[in-house]
């Protein structure tokens, strides 16, 4: 007995095929974003992480090895959905995707500090795409470039579930 063919209009199957064909490829580079002190302060207030190296420009100028404040590493990580374009419902990650859930992080490193006034942008590369319980589990490498620097600010394997 021949196996039944999947319908050509199956959005999950189509998206899975597309994403699997892109494994190992960078599929998104964001626009540049300037990290300013108000953004750092807002993150510090939201997380209650008000260490002076992040929120006290005068002290950072005197005592920090960077000579100015730096962004929280987790601020850089938290920008992933926005820099990746996941928050724009008008531009789905793949055709037919109705919802994206952050599922976790496999690996995370902060190799370089983001100093206030720096510009950053995201580079996203597909590492894996598999069908899991009627969804697609997508693993991407999220690497945050700092303009003019050799080492990235953040490198993470972000795991998402795509629902159709």
């Amino acid at each position: 007995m021949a196996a039944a063919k999947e319908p050509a209009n199956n959005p999950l199957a189509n998206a899975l095929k597309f994403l699997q064909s892109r494994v190992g490829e960078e599929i998104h580079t964001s626009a540049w974003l300037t990290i300013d002190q108000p953004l750092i302060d807002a993150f510090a207030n939201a997380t209650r992480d008000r260490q002076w190296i992040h929120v006290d420009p005068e002290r950072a100028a005197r005592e920090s090895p960077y000579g100015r404040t730096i962004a929280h590493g987790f601020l850089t990580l938290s920008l992933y959905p926005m820099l990746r374009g996941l928050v724009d419902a008008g531009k789905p990650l793949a055709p037919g995707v109705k919802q994206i859930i952050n599922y976790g992080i496999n690996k995370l490193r902060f190799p370089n500090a983001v100093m206030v006034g720096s510009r950053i942008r995201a580079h996203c590369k597909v590492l894996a795409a598999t069908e899991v319980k009627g969804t697609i589990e997508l693993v991407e490498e999220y690497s945050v470039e700092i303009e003019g620097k050799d080492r990235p600010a953040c490198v993470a394997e972000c795991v998402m579930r795509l629902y159709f």
Side-chain angles (χ1 to χ4, degrees):
M1 176 187 258
K5 289 186 177 181
E6 294 205 25
N9 63 352
N10 180 332
L12 186 148
N14 294 338
L16 184 61
K17 183 177 178 182
F18 167 75
L19 291 167
Q20 287 177 335
S21 76
R22 304 293 302 271
V23 169
E25 293 181 27
E26 184 174 298
I27 64 168
H28 180 78
T29 301
S30 74
W32 289 102
L33 173 69
T34 300
I35 302 300
D36 59 18
Q37 194 61 50
L39 179 60
I40 294 170
D41 291 342
F43 187 83
N45 289 333
T47 61
R48 298 183 179 160
D49 179 355
R50 297 181 187 95
Q51 292 184 38
W52 64 266
I53 200 163
H54 304 302
V55 298
D56 188 336
E58 291 79 23
R59 184 173 176 188
R62 286 190 320 268
E63 299 178 33
S64 166
Y66 306 104
R68 54 186 159 159
T69 57
I70 61 170
H72 305 72
F74 284 106
L75 167 57
T76 307
L77 175 64
S78 74
L79 292 170
Y80 171 66
M82 187 276 299
L83 290 173
R84 178 62 176 93
L86 300 176
V87 296
D88 186 351
K91 296 179 183 177
L93 185 70
V97 173
K98 293 185 176 14
Q99 184 177 26
I100 299 172
I101 302 294
N102 292 322
Y103 194 69
I105 297 171
N106 291 337
K107 295 179 185 175
L108 171 63
R109 296 289 183 268
F110 300 112
N112 205 353
V114 177
M115 292 175 266
V116 68
S118 296
R119 290 187 350 139
I120 64 169
R121 70 177 170 182
H123 296 272
C124 300
K125 177 171 50 171
V126 176
L127 298 179
T130 54
E131 185 173 351
V132 176
K133 299 179 183 177
T135 71
I136 294 176
E137 185 170 286
L138 177 64
V139 181
E140 286 190 335
E141 178 184 84
Y142 167 64
S143 179
V144 179
E145 174 187 5
I146 307 168
E147 188 174 42
K149 301 290 182 182
D150 292 333
R151 290 183 308 146
C154 177
V155 180
E157 284 186 11
C158 297
V159 184
M160 298 172 276
R161 291 271 174 100
L162 284 55
Y163 292 84
F164 296 83

